[in-house]
Amino acid sequence: MISPAHYVALAVILFVIGAVGVLVRRNAIVIFMCVELMLNAVNLAFVAFARLHGNLDGQVIAFFVMVVAASEVVVGLAILTSIFRTRKSASVDDANLLKY
Amino acid sequence: MTHPVVLAAGAAATTQSIAFWVLAIGSVGAALGMVLARKAVHCAMLLAFVMLTLAIMYAMQGAPFLAFVQVIVYTGAVLMLFLFVLMIVGVTSADSVTETIKGQRLAAGLAGIGLLVLLSLVVGQAVIGPAAPGGPNFGSANVGAIAALIFTTYVFPFEVTSALLITAALGAMVLAHRERTSPRPTQRDLSIRRMTGGRPAPLPGPGTYARHNAVDMPAMLPDGSAARLSVSAVMGVRAVSGITIAGLDELAVPQAPALGETPAAGDTGDTGDTSGPAAGTGGQEER
């Protein structure tokens, strides 16, 4: 029998994979995708906890997370295109003007 | 003797566990592939797979509304946006394998293992019991119940969400907007530039007199060498055995900078127009 604990464990694994991807990858778009994976993992945990408690608040929170993620992607990708337009690179190593 | 309803429930539980394990293994594998794949387009496709498996899992957990929102918003809108930006930024932008910070991958792997251990301990400490009895809110009445919740308890966050969406749309327009710093070249300017640019004729098309007419096949010059300029600069020239790529010097014309190349001096950042001497000629229309 599959309990919510299984889904939470899967969410933990997906979250860790996304976090490692953010740390390892250097293409800014792929880093964005890994952030999306982390957000999706948290959504899965929210839905699992909603099922665990038998009310819908977790699903509503997951819905809000989706809205925030969508607007975050829109603004982030616009920033990426403007960075690429000026610096001709999508690598996070090249955008280091503000680096100490 | 077992009741038929109990039997059916047992069969449903078996089906659900089989579906869970298939989807879980598939999504973890696709997520790992996303982290490991070199090309960004492969990453996007694998992420789409992960999101679709998560949508099926939402449906399995009694959240049909979220399952459809996941498919429509995430795989439909967000990932297509990712693919659009990938096409703008350049599909060929593969990650380099060299480490710029020494030992970064090792440290990242160790940090990932540490995070996994930490989260596993947290989840293992918590007592996560079996699911509560579902009721109609986790099935046919899901959409209506979520709507009731959003418009009563969560009505203020919902209204704030609308402000957030408007701000995001405005911000994206402001960030992606580009001021034209130089006047748009008229047809007269383009023709003057073309006549004085040293090469009034169109560039040779790819594959002319060559063995294939693929776009990455250079045209053959009369002396049997390959014309490098016949292939678009954003594309690699296919290796032609036994033919040296010659004729570069007599055909050399300064071109508009290709994607991924450093811009030429005097470029005002206005790379959107094909303002090079080869503007409007055949084979250079990809920008």
Side-chain angles (χ1 to χ4, degrees):
Chain A
M1 184 62 191
I2 298 298
S3 71
H6 288 82
Y7 288 102
V8 175
L10 176 64
V12 164
I13 293 172
L14 288 180
F15 187 89
V16 170
I17 291 174
V20 170
V22 169
L23 291 176
V24 167
R25 299 305 296 262
R26 302 222 303 285
N27 189 333
I29 300 176
V30 182
I31 289 178
F32 247 114
M33 290 183 201
C34 292
V35 171
E36 291 303 310
L37 180 64
M38 292 165 78
L39 286 169
N40 267 288
V42 174
N43 272 352
L44 182 65
F46 270 129
V47 173
F49 283 128
R51 185 81 187 84
L52 170 70
H53 290 293
N55 58 23
L56 290 179
D57 292 272
Q59 295 191 12
V60 174
I61 300 288
F63 174 66
F64 283 133
V65 170
M66 282 183 189
V67 174
V68 173
S71 42
E72 169 238 340
V73 161
V74 166
V75 176
L77 288 181
I79 292 174
L80 274 186
T81 48
S82 61
I83 286 179
F84 181 79
R85 202 181 286 147
T86 51
R87 302 190 68 86
K88 300 275 178 278
S89 166
S91 172
V92 287
D93 287 332
D94 295 333
N96 55 2
L97 274 181
L98 288 178
K99 194 168 151 190
Y100 171 64
Chain B
M1 179 177 169
T2 325
H3 199 269
V5 174
V6 178
L7 262 182
T14 313
T15 315
Q16 204 179 22
S17 67
I18 291 174
F20 173 80
W21 287 114
V22 169
L23 291 174
I25 293 171
S27 64
V28 169
L32 280 177
M34 189 189 86
V35 173
L36 297 177
R38 291 285 313 285
K39 296 215 169 198
V41 177
H42 297 171
C43 294
M45 288 297 121
L46 288 168
L47 185 60
F49 182 79
V50 174
M51 285 172 173
L52 285 176
T53 57
L54 287 186
I56 300 173
M57 282 189 183
Y58 294 165
M60 279 162 53
Q61 287 183 286
F65 174 70
L66 275 187
F68 278 95
V69 170
Q70 171 90 359
V71 171
I72 293 168
V73 172
Y74 262 120
T75 48
V78 169
L79 268 172
M80 290 312 111
L81 199 60
F82 269 116
L83 284 180
F84 277 148
V85 174
L86 273 180
M87 296 303 155
I88 293 172
V89 166
V91 204
T92 55
S93 63
D95 259 358
S96 59
V97 275
T98 54
E99 270 187 326
T100 45
I101 307 170
K102 194 167 159 42
Q104 189 215 2
R105 286 205 188 129
L106 187 66
L110 287 179
I113 291 173
L115 184 62
L116 183 65
V117 169
L118 179 71
L119 288 177
S120 307
L121 286 178
V122 169
V123 171
Q125 284 290 319
V127 179
I128 300 177
N137 279 356
F138 287 87
S140 54
N142 181 254
V143 179
I146 283 186
L149 211 54
I150 282 179
F151 288 109
T152 54
T153 315
Y154 293 98
V155 66
F156 184 66
F158 185 67
E159 295 299 329
V160 174
T161 297
S162 68
L164 175 73
L165 284 177
I166 290 176
T167 314
L170 207 68
M173 280 193 279
V174 168
L175 284 170
H177 180 70
R178 182 172 52 187
E179 287 291 334
R180 181 175 276 279
T181 51
S182 58
R184 185 185 180 84
T186 60
Q187 201 169 9
R188 178 179 170 80
D189 295 338
L190 288 177
S191 65
I192 288 173
R193 210 180 292 167
R194 183 164 165 167
M195 285 306 157
T196 57
R199 187 182 178 82
L203 289 173
T208 312
Y209 298 127
R211 268 183 298 176
H212 318 287
N213 59 356
V215 285
D216 58 345
M217 193 64 160
M220 297 281 271
L221 291 176
D223 59 348
S225 59
R228 176 68 179 78
L229 277 181
S230 62
V231 178
S232 163
V234 294
M235 218 173 283
V237 175
R238 188 185 295 188
V240 188
S241 61
I243 294 176
T244 55
I245 303 214
L248 275 176
D249 295 334
E250 66 263 29
L251 282 175
V253 169
Q255 295 185 38
L259 287 176
E261 286 182 2
T262 51
D267 187 9
T268 54
D270 194 1
T271 56
D273 55 349
T274 53
S275 58
T281 59
Q284 293 289 319
E285 299 272 312
E286 78 279 346
R287 310 251 349 243

